[in-house]
Amino acid sequence: MKYLIIFSILLFISCKNSKYQDQFDPSVITKSSEKINVNGHEDEKTWSQTQWRAIDNVWLGEKMKQGDFNGKYKMLWDESYIYILAEIEDDVLMDIHKDGLDRYWDDDCLEVFIDEDNSKGNHQYNHNAFAYHIALNNKSVDIGPDSIPHYYNHLKSARKTTGTKSTWELAMSVYDNKYIDGGDNIPVKLHENKEIGFMIAYCDNDNSDERENFIGSMKVVGDDKNRGWIDAGVFGSYQLKK
Ligand SMILES: [Ca+2]
Ligand SMILES: [Ca+2]
Ligand SMILES: [Ca+2]
Ligand SMILES: [Ca+2]
C-alpha cells in the first residue's frame, strides 16, 4: 500500500510536469502582462514567465567551435509592439565598417524578420516584409524599394553586454505592405489571434573580412539557407494569443 501511494505521487508529479511542458506552443506568442521597459535587462516579471526559444540553425559558414556563438530569444506582444529579448553569447564583438550602411551584415548584428500579415513571398525590394539588421549601436537597416539600404526607425533597441554575453531587448513597431519610405506611416494595431511571419538571426564575425557565420531561429531546407532577406516564405508562422 505504501509503495502504491509513492507510485501515485510520482505519477502525479510527472503528469503535472509534462502538462506544464505541453502548455508551451512554439507557434504562439503570448501577450505581455506588464509594460516593458526597453533597457536591455530582463527585469520584467512577464519575461521571467516566458519560454526561451533557440537560435541554433547555422545558415552560413563552417561548423562553429565551442564558445563561438550561443543564442536564444523570447517574444511577447501588446497592441503597439512585438517585444523580443535575445541572449547572445559571442566570443568577439566586431564592428569594423564605420558607415552603418556599408556591408552591415559583415559586422556582428542581430537580424529580425517580420511579415506583418504572414503572406509569405518575395520582399527583397518591397515592404511585403522587413529584415532589420540591428547593429551593435542599436541602429537598424533594411533594403528599401529603391534597392538601397536605409535606416528604419521601427525598433527601440537596447543592448547590455557583460563579458561575452549580450542581452538585447527590442520593441518593434509592425508596419504592413502599404509602408511608404519617407511617408507618414502608422504602425498596425496588434490584436489577439493575429498571425505574423517572424524569425530572428545573428551575423557572427570575430576576425574576418566577411561574416563567419549566420545563425537563425528557423530551419531552412535546401542548399541556399540565406533566403530570409529575399523570401518571407522561410519565416516562421506565429499567432498572437492572450
Ligand atoms: Ca527590460
Ligand atoms: Ca563568435
Ligand atoms: Ca506580407
Ligand atoms: Ca562576433
Side-chain angles (χ1 to χ4, degrees):
M1 184 65 190
K2 194 171 96 186
Y3 291 110
L4 188 65
I5 291 168
I6 292 168
F7 176 74
S8 303
I9 290 169
L10 288 173
L11 190 68
F12 174 74
I13 291 169
S14 76
C15 286
K16 216 173 157 216
N17 281 344
S18 68
K19 188 179 167 219
Y20 172 74
Q21 281 158 11
D22 290 349
Q23 281 172 350
F24 177 63
D25 180 345
S27 68
V28 164
I29 304 168
T30 52
K31 192 171 186 185
S32 177
S33 59
E34 65 188 292
K35 195 170 156 42
I36 303 267
N37 178 21
V38 180
N39 58 0
H41 291 290
E42 192 182 356
D43 49 1
E44 291 80 5
K45 196 170 164 217
T46 190
W47 278 134
S48 66
Q49 294 164 336
T50 306
Q51 195 93 12
W52 286 109
R53 302 157 188 258
I55 305 173
D56 59 356
N57 297 281
V58 180
W59 292 340
L60 289 177
E62 304 296 313
K63 195 170 186 291
M64 290 176 297
K65 305 181 304 291
Q66 184 87 26
D68 189 354
F69 170 84
N70 262 305
K72 56 184 182 177
Y73 70 106
K74 299 179 175 190
M75 298 177 79
L76 290 166
W77 68 278
D78 65 17
E79 282 78 6
S80 304
Y81 301 103
I82 300 283
Y83 299 97
I84 300 137
L85 188 81
E87 191 179 288
I88 304 293
E89 291 178 62
D90 180 6
D91 47 348
V92 180
L93 287 183
M94 190 170 122
D95 188 357
I96 52 169
H97 298 94
K98 290 289 158 253
D99 178 355
L101 298 175
D102 174 34
R103 290 176 55 190
Y104 44 89
W105 57 87
D106 286 328
D107 290 323
D108 283 324
C109 63
L110 195 65
E111 188 166 348
V112 170
F113 305 79
I114 177 78
D115 176 2
E116 177 270 334
D117 57 355
N118 199 27
S119 61
K120 312 217 175 265
N122 183 288
H123 75 93
Q124 187 171 18
Y125 302 131
N126 60 64
H127 292 314
N128 173 31
F130 291 86
Y132 304 109
H133 298 71
I134 306 156
L136 296 179
N137 64 4
N138 292 304
K139 284 187 169 185
S140 53
V141 176
D142 188 19
I143 299 175
D146 56 3
S147 68
I148 294 169
H150 298 276
Y151 289 116
Y152 288 94
N153 190 22
H154 300 175
L155 291 117
K156 295 184 207 169
S157 169
R159 174 177 61 92
K160 287 281 176 271
T161 298
T162 308
T164 57
K165 190 187 284 184
S166 294
T167 303
W168 304 70
E169 193 173 31
L170 316 172
M172 174 169 60
S173 301
V174 179
Y175 290 91
D176 63 19
N177 57 8
K178 292 188 280 297
Y179 185 89
I180 294 170
D181 287 61
D184 199 6
N185 300 286
I186 298 166
V188 298
K189 271 222 170 323
L190 303 173
H191 56 83
E192 196 184 1
N193 295 325
K194 180 176 175 59
E195 279 193 26
I196 60 164
F198 175 88
M199 61 181 186
I200 187 168
Y202 188 75
C203 298
D204 186 15
N205 199 352
D206 298 331
N207 187 31
S208 302
D209 284 342
E210 295 182 355
R211 65 182 155 183
E212 293 160 9
N213 287 103
F214 190 25
I215 314 102
S217 58
M218 288 298 294
K219 197 176 180 67
V220 179
V221 294
D223 290 337
D224 180 12
K225 303 199 184 302
N226 184 18
R227 298 286 306 156
W229 69 291
I230 298 171
D231 179 9
V234 299
F235 297 9
S237 299
Y238 297 86
Q239 197 168 37
L240 309 183
K241 291 281 188 189
K242 279 261 162 70

